[in-house]
Amino acid sequence: MAGIAMILYSVWLIRVWQRKTGDLPFDAHADGVPWFIYTFLGLGVILIVITCLGHVAADTAHGCCLYLYMFFIFVLLMVEAGVTADVFLNREWEKDFPEDPSGSFNQLKEFIRKNFEICKWVGVSVVSIQGLSLVLAVVLKALGPHQNYDSDDELADPERAPLMKNAPYHPPSYVVGDPVYGPKN
């Protein structure tokens, strides 16, 4: 949901930029590059890709997909923690970002300042949900269909080899044991 909202907001920002300047933000512009629009659009696409990967991983319970999803969620959480630490610990954090010619970054800052309590709880909720999804991915991996995987072929379960289930049984053509001799007369 958040990824789709970010993409829609980015499309709206592109439309506002186009009305303001007369050209698309993808063209070279004299005022500079509207990095905030690009960043917001890219983050929205990344969130959608991670979400789709999570749905595929949960549906298939495939180990590789689950590990990849857990890795992406972990990286996303670390980036969020880094940006949050920079904003809270660095008093001049605004200087870390380049100038935004579109003015959207300043509008977002002002909106967050005016509605800080709501934004704080929304941020805590988003990070909590991401952490919960990481924990659920670990649980799904631990309790997935391959938890008791045994690679010994001699103990093969017929359910794991469906083509062998209906194979005809042929008894061996030889006898195993001590040779039996006829009586001596």
Side-chain angles (χ1 to χ4, degrees):
M1 251 342 219
I4 293 172
M6 290 175 76
I7 290 175
L8 290 176
Y9 181 63
S10 298
V11 169
W12 180 75
L13 287 175
I14 289 171
R15 182 69 181 136
V16 168
W17 175 270
Q18 185 180 18
R19 276 193 233 142
K20 178 181 168 185
T21 62
D23 60 346
L24 290 173
F26 308 111
D27 302 332
H29 197 267
D31 292 338
V33 177
W35 64 269
F36 184 73
I37 297 173
Y38 293 149
T39 305
F40 222 70
L41 183 63
L43 286 175
V45 170
I46 287 171
L47 281 177
I48 286 179
V49 169
I50 290 174
T51 304
C52 288
L53 180 66
H55 284 293
V56 168
D59 189 41
T60 62
H62 191 265
C64 182
C65 285
L66 283 169
Y67 284 131
L68 195 61
Y69 175 70
M70 286 187 281
F71 172 74
F72 282 140
I73 289 292
F74 179 75
V75 168
L76 185 65
L77 282 171
M78 290 298 108
V79 168
E80 287 174 357
V83 170
T84 303
D86 182 44
V87 168
F88 281 117
L89 299 177
N90 184 4
R91 297 216 184 267
E92 299 178 359
W93 64 271
E94 295 170 355
K95 294 180 181 177
D96 293 341
F97 296 102
E99 185 66 30
D100 182 33
S102 68
S104 303
F105 184 60
N106 293 330
Q107 289 175 352
L108 182 66
K109 285 190 301 189
E110 290 303 317
F111 176 79
I112 291 174
R113 284 187 182 127
K114 288 178 184 175
N115 304 307
F116 184 72
E117 284 298 315
I118 293 173
C119 292
K120 179 177 71 171
W121 286 109
V122 167
V124 167
S125 301
V126 167
V127 170
S128 299
I129 290 171
Q130 288 172 347
L132 181 65
S133 71
L134 182 64
V135 169
L136 290 176
V138 170
V139 168
L140 183 62
K141 176 61 183 142
L143 299 176
H146 303 295
Q147 66 181 359
N148 294 325
Y149 179 72
D150 186 17
S151 65
D152 295 338
D153 292 333
E154 64 210 33
L155 301 174
D157 183 14
E159 293 297 321
R160 287 176 35 191
L163 295 177
M164 297 299 290
K165 190 181 344 180
N166 296 328
Y169 176 73
H170 297 292
S173 59
Y174 56 89
V175 177
V176 178
D178 293 331
V180 178
Y181 298 108
K184 290 187 181 182
N185 290 347

